Amino acid sequence: MKKNILAVPLLAIAAALFAPLAHAAEEDVSKADPARWHKADDTPKARYRNLLKEANAAHGEALQACKGMRGKEARACRSDAGAAKKEDLERAKRIYKDYRETSRAS
């Protein structure tokens, strides 16, 4: 019991002494952001392509989540993923059409 009583204050003192020496790791700035992150998607076509990429990526992630499933559950999961992709693609088309029409009107 006495050993535990001594250990707690010693650990507190050690933590107080060495706390200023602890610091976060340096950030590796040698790797810059990919150039595509800084390209503007100002045109209707570029925005549409971006939405298509996002829809396909979301579909891929949804299919990955279905991989651990079997039978009817897996079929339902893949069906839901396909339906969500279809909705995303339809939404992308609507956005493209609206954006194209508003950019022409300006």
Side-chain angles (χ1 to χ4, degrees):
M1 184 74 177
K2 288 184 181 183
K3 289 180 184 177
N4 289 341
I5 293 173
L6 289 176
V8 173
L10 288 177
L11 286 175
I13 292 170
L17 288 174
F18 293 109
L21 300 176
H23 55 84
E26 295 279 328
E27 182 180 355
D28 183 11
V29 293
S30 65
K31 297 178 184 175
D33 292 339
R36 69 180 183 279
W37 289 5
H38 301 287
K39 267 198 268 182
D41 61 350
D42 293 339
T43 66
K45 203 64 156 165
R47 286 185 184 224
Y48 180 66
R49 278 194 303 266
N50 189 37
L51 290 171
L52 291 181
K53 283 182 190 177
E54 289 179 6
N56 287 322
H59 183 249
E61 287 180 11
L63 289 178
Q64 282 296 105
C66 298
K67 286 198 178 221
M69 300 174 189
R70 299 279 182 245
K72 290 181 182 180
E73 185 183 22
R75 273 193 301 279
C77 182
R78 287 190 300 271
S79 176
D80 290 346
K85 180 180 179 182
K86 184 178 176 185
E87 288 175 16
D88 288 345
L89 293 176
E90 288 170 356
R91 179 178 162 268
K93 286 179 187 176
R94 281 194 313 272
I95 291 172
Y96 172 64
K97 183 181 172 188
D98 291 345
Y99 187 71
R100 191 179 62 203
E101 289 173 1
T102 57
S103 66
R104 284 183 188 167
S106 310

